Amino acid sequence: MINYIKESPLNILIQPTDNCNLECLYCYKGNKGNNKMSDDLMLKVLTESIAYNSKRKNSTLFIWHGGEPSIMPLSFYYKAFRFTENINSEYRISHTFQTNGYLISEELLDLFSQFKVSISISLDGPANYHDKIRFTKNKKGTHKVILNNIEKAKRKDIEIGILMSITNNNVQYIEQIFRYCYDNNFSFGINPISSDLFSKHEDLEVHPQKYLESCIKVFDLWFFQKKNPIRANPGFGVTQLILSQNRISDCFLSENCQYTFISIDPKGNIYPCNRFDNNEGFKFGNILNTDLEDILISPTRIKLLERCGNIIPECQNCEIRKYCNGGCMHHAICHNENINSPDHLCIVYKALIKHALSRINSVLITN
């Protein structure tokens, strides 16, 4: 296990604020605060993260998340991007920005263009659905503003990805959003709405069978593209997973997400991912008090690193164990109250892997 940790780039999910301008119905953040990361803490996070990866001859990806990261002042990001640009490293340092897209300004987009920062924007369907689920604190719809801001980003040649959160009520819009992405050369991904540590989301949580339909739909839309293909997940990711024999740095069906991801909140607390934020039982430490190198060998993280399909009883005889490895640990703890249990979407992964293998084999046989 230790050798693999050394070989894996550690992607750093940074939450510069836990505040947000929207009140999305399925938000997993619980009670939002108004904490903002200081410039000094931000520079410490960047410095230690790059040093950790460079020591292991790895690149570093910073994922700016939230809350809503665009709430932070422009000067905060200018300082961050300029700082990493000026680091003399032989290993790649890159940034991506996960946003609801509502507050994106021309000035922020100019900054993204200058420093080659990619963005991922949440879009859950056409306006008639999206605006019922993702709205401002004044209950105002966001779809029109977001599409307008996407167009602004596109004109500046910024790399754009669209993330669609799947509930039981928007599966029928998947092809529409995929076609929108295809026509605009955006990447596309789906994400299941599920119970979290603060809410069961009972009216919104996608049923496993519905999510399976969604995954297969996306896989086939991606797989059968004729020309100018875009990257779409779970299509691209699952195929990469199969062909690489489980050596991908993605939280979706990775060997163990803790090899490749950590999350740092505005106060410097470090967690397995942003889904575990504000849960003391899963906190690794605080970078203001302890060096990152020491935090990453904390007993809490080591315990999570041991989670895999090999130790989950239900996974022992599973034919796709080498691909799935028990699925998402956050799903496991929220649905089963046991981190060493399988993800509740187990049936989805089994059927999706089999579907992908069938598609791949059909191409190999034909050719």
Side-chain angles (χ1 to χ4, degrees):
M1 180 174 69
I2 298 301
N3 286 336
Y4 188 56
I5 295 172
K6 290 181 179 179
E7 294 170 1
S8 303
L10 187 66
N11 302 308
I12 315 298
L13 198 157
I14 304 177
Q15 298 172 76
T17 179
D18 51 11
N19 194 6
C20 187
N21 57 306
L22 302 189
E23 291 285 352
C24 303
L25 290 181
Y26 50 65
C27 185
Y28 59 84
K29 294 293 289 184
N31 294 323
K32 301 180 184 71
N34 193 27
N35 298 295
K36 292 185 177 180
M37 184 175 284
S38 69
D39 288 2
D40 287 345
L41 174 55
M42 173 265 290
L43 294 174
K44 182 175 177 63
V45 167
L46 298 180
T47 300
E48 294 197 23
S49 301
I50 294 168
Y52 180 88
N53 277 319
S54 296
K55 183 178 178 180
R56 292 156 178 82
K57 300 181 179 180
N58 285 324
S59 60
T60 304
L61 171 64
F62 293 106
I63 305 165
W64 300 89
H65 212 288
E68 171 48 44
S70 62
I71 287 175
M72 297 294 286
L74 193 69
S75 59
F76 178 87
Y77 293 112
Y78 179 82
K79 183 175 289 187
F81 302 154
R82 176 64 74 187
F83 177 78
T84 58
E85 182 183 65
N86 289 336
I87 289 179
N88 184 21
S89 174
E90 58 184 301
Y91 308 106
R92 186 167 184 254
I93 302 168
S94 56
H95 301 266
T96 189
F97 201 84
Q98 177 66 50
T99 173
N100 59 46
Y102 194 79
L103 297 177
I104 297 293
S105 65
E106 291 279 2
E107 293 78 14
L108 186 56
L109 290 174
D110 286 339
L111 201 64
F112 292 160
S113 179
Q114 177 183 352
F115 291 101
K116 296 179 172 58
V117 178
S118 62
I119 60 174
S120 178
I121 296 178
S122 298
L123 193 67
D124 288 355
N128 64 304
Y129 176 79
H130 177 100
D131 285 346
K132 292 178 182 177
I133 207 103
R134 299 183 64 86
F135 41 78
T136 68
K137 293 179 180 179
N138 295 323
K139 309 302 180 185
K140 181 180 178 181
T142 60
H143 191 270
K144 184 177 179 180
V145 171
I146 291 169
L147 286 189
N148 184 49
N149 288 337
I150 289 173
E151 285 300 312
K152 291 177 183 177
K154 182 182 174 184
R155 287 196 292 270
K156 296 179 187 291
D157 292 324
I158 294 167
E159 182 181 341
I160 300 169
I162 299 298
L163 180 64
M164 183 178 182
S165 295
I166 303 299
T167 69
N168 282 322
N169 305 315
N170 66 340
V171 174
Q172 67 267 34
Y173 302 125
I174 286 176
E175 184 165 358
Q176 179 179 341
I177 300 301
F178 176 87
R179 297 298 175 196
Y180 167 72
C181 292
Y182 181 84
D183 291 343
N184 288 280
N185 195 33
F186 301 157
S187 62
F188 174 65
I190 61 173
N191 182 57
I193 294 305
S194 175
S195 298
D196 56 51
L197 294 170
F198 299 99
S199 173
K200 294 295 182 184
H201 298 304
E202 292 172 347
D203 296 331
L204 293 169
E205 180 176 40
V206 62
H207 187 276
Q209 187 59 41
K210 279 277 191 181
Y211 189 57
L212 174 58
E213 293 172 18
S214 304
C215 289
I216 289 177
K217 183 73 171 178
V218 173
F219 185 94
D220 284 350
L221 285 166
W222 170 79
F223 192 80
F224 290 109
Q225 295 174 91
K226 297 298 183 183
K227 58 181 180 179
N228 303 319
I230 62 169
R231 179 179 294 198
N233 279 318
F236 176 86
V238 168
T239 302
Q240 183 188 26
L241 171 71
I242 291 170
L243 296 179
S244 65
Q245 293 297 300
N246 198 29
R247 282 295 180 267
I248 61 172
S249 59
D250 195 339
C251 66
F252 178 67
L253 298 181
S254 64
E255 182 171 0
N256 183 311
C257 61
Q258 288 311 287
Y259 289 127
T260 48
F261 288 94
I262 58 169
S263 175
I264 305 179
D265 77 7
K267 298 179 181 179
N269 297 310
I270 299 183
Y271 298 93
C273 78
N274 54 338
R275 299 283 173 156
F276 288 98
D277 286 355
N278 298 317
N279 189 302
E280 286 294 314
F282 290 96
K283 187 170 79 173
F284 297 160
N286 187 295
I287 199 169
L288 287 173
N289 306 323
T290 310
D291 290 341
L292 182 61
E293 288 273 359
D294 292 330
I295 288 173
L296 293 179
I297 57 172
S298 71
T300 303
R301 183 168 186 259
I302 296 302
K303 182 178 179 180
L304 296 184
L305 281 167
E306 293 170 351
R307 181 190 185 267
C308 65
N310 293 331
I311 66 169
I312 298 174
E314 296 90 335
C315 299
Q316 295 306 299
N317 299 315
C318 180
E319 59 190 312
I320 69 154
R321 186 181 71 181
K322 66 178 180 179
Y323 301 120
C324 172
N325 288 294
C328 173
M329 62 178 67
H330 178 265
H331 287 171
I333 195 70
C334 291
H335 282 266
N336 307 321
E337 299 182 354
N338 178 9
I339 203 132
N340 289 319
S341 64
D343 185 334
H344 75 293
L345 295 175
C346 174
I347 64 168
V348 176
Y349 307 146
K350 285 182 180 179
L352 178 60
I353 292 293
K354 290 177 182 178
H355 180 80
L357 285 167
S358 174
R359 292 295 193 213
I360 293 168
N361 287 335
S362 69
V363 171
L364 295 176
I365 292 170
T366 302
N367 295 329

